[in-house]
């Protein structure tokens, strides 16, 4: 659309110039003048593809009839596209030749050349206005575009480098965390598994042997989960995005693994009751995994802060959501609370909110505690 308007503008301006409305009237018939102006307009319309046809029409029109609009537009696009000083110099040389031919034609016959070539000052001023200024403007616009393009490329390059540095820093931090977890947590859990195994072998009664075996099993499961976490921490970014790298990892826990989790708590002396409400149906794996983590964290807090208090686990299948509630009674007797970092419920709330759900954790009347999560499904 822009170039259509440019072609119409060049046609109208050229027709006004050669018809004498903006200059000295020509002796040619109006249909001829209209055809010349139309040729200039068509060449200006096609200037996006090539400005040389417009320059040729402008040169002929200026030398013959001092029709300056097409030569002015061609000079602007010459400055905009000529990338070498040699090309610019050649174009200026050609324009000077056109101005010389126009002066000779003006001396040879009376016509519109009289005003443009009445004096050397007029000829120079006309050449500067028609050729010099548009050419300089085109050169300035091209230089500004090149500067902006270079600045944009530099900004993109700096942004890519910043992203790469951030990825490198994250990879280094993940590796550091993985080393710390391996050196500290994995080592301690391995010692627990070894001592539990030794206790199982030396147990004097069956109850002690079963407890030791259960502790060893929980420890081995913790080591397996820790190995999965360490694998994620050490994975390159493209693996974290889900690309298949051929590595085998344990499948994440789902609601099918919930009974085994509850049995582990029962084996530690906590009376845990499960209630399923609604029609059981398959839901997204991420929803099941999050629901499992809610129950796991809630029962862990029961072990830490409520001792052997009983707990109820409710799984409700709604039409549009999966609701999980874990409530426990008040501690039945004084007990020693296990140390904790306080980040469990915070991380759990973030996990639930990532799926668009909500998590509530609050004390109840009578000394109990309730953890409730609603996860869209």
């Amino acid at each position: 659309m822009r170039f259509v308007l440019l072609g119409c503008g060049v046609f109208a301006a050229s027709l006004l110039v050669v018809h004498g409305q903006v200059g000295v009237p020509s002796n040619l018939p109006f249909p001829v003048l209209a055809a010349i102006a139309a040729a200039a307009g068509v060449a200006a319309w096609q200037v996006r593809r090539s400005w040389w046809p417009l320059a040729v029409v402008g040169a002929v029109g200026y030398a013959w009839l001092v029709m300056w609009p097409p030569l002015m537009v061609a000079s602007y696009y010459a400055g905009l596209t000529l990338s070498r000083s040699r090309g610019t110099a050649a174009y200026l040389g050609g324009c000077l030749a056109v101005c010389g031919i126009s002066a000779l034609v003006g001396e040879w016959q009376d016509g519109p050349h009289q005003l443009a070539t009445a004096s050397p000052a007029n000829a120079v001023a006309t050449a500067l206005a028609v050729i010099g200024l548009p050419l300089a403007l085109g050169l300035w616009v091209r230089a500004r575009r090149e500067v902006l393009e270079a600045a944009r490329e530099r900004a993109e390059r700096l942004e890519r480098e910043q992203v790469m540095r951030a990825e490198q820093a994250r990879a280094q931090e993940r590796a550091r965390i993985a080393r710390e977890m391996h050196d500290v947590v994995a080592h301690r859990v391995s010692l627990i598994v070894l001592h539990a195994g030794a206790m199982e072998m030396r147990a004097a009664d069956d109850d002690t042997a079963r407890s030791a075996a259960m502790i060893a099993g929980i420890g081995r499961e913790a080591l397996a989960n820790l190995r999965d976490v360490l694998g994620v921490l050490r994975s390159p970014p493209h693996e974290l995005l889900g690309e298949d790298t051929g590595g085998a990892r344990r499948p994440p826990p789902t609601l099918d693994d919930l009974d085994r989790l509850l049995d582990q708590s029962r084996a530690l002396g906590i009376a845990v009751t499960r209630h399923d409400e609604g029609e059981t149906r398959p839901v997204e794996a991420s929803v099941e995994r999050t629901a499992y983590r809610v129950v796991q964290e809630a029962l862990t807090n029961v072990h830490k802060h409520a001792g052997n208090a009983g707990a109820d686990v409710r799984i409700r299948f709604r039409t549009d959501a999966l609701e999980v509630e874990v409530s426990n009674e008040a501690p039945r007797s004084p007990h020693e609370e296990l140390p904790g970092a306080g980040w469990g419920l915070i991380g759990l709330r973030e996990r639930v909110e990532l799926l668009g759900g909500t998590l509530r954790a609050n004390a109840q009347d009578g000394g109990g505690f309730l953890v409730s999560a609603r996860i869209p499904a």
Side-chain angles (χ1 to χ4, degrees), residues 130-153:
V130 173
I131 300 171
L133 291 181
L135 182 65
L137 180 61
L139 291 172
W140 178 80
V141 171
R142 188 190 68 193
R144 183 173 179 274
R145 288 180 180 177
E146 290 176 351
V147 170
L148 292 178
E149 181 67 19
R152 186 182 63 81
E153 291 180 356

Side-chain angles (χ1 to χ4, degrees), residues 180-212:
E180 292 295 328
M181 292 180 65
H182 179 271
D183 295 341
V184 179
V185 181
H187 175 68
R188 300 298 183 186
V189 176
S190 298
L191 289 179
I192 293 174
V193 173
L194 291 176
H195 284 291
M199 183 184 298
E200 181 183 3
M201 297 296 295
R202 297 195 301 266
D205 56 274
D206 293 338
D207 291 339
T208 303
R210 282 194 296 269
S211 298

Side-chain angles (χ1 to χ4, degrees), residues 51 159 161 164 314 372:
W51 58 270
E159 185 178 359
E161 292 176 356
M164 292 176 61
R314 298 183 182 276
S372 175

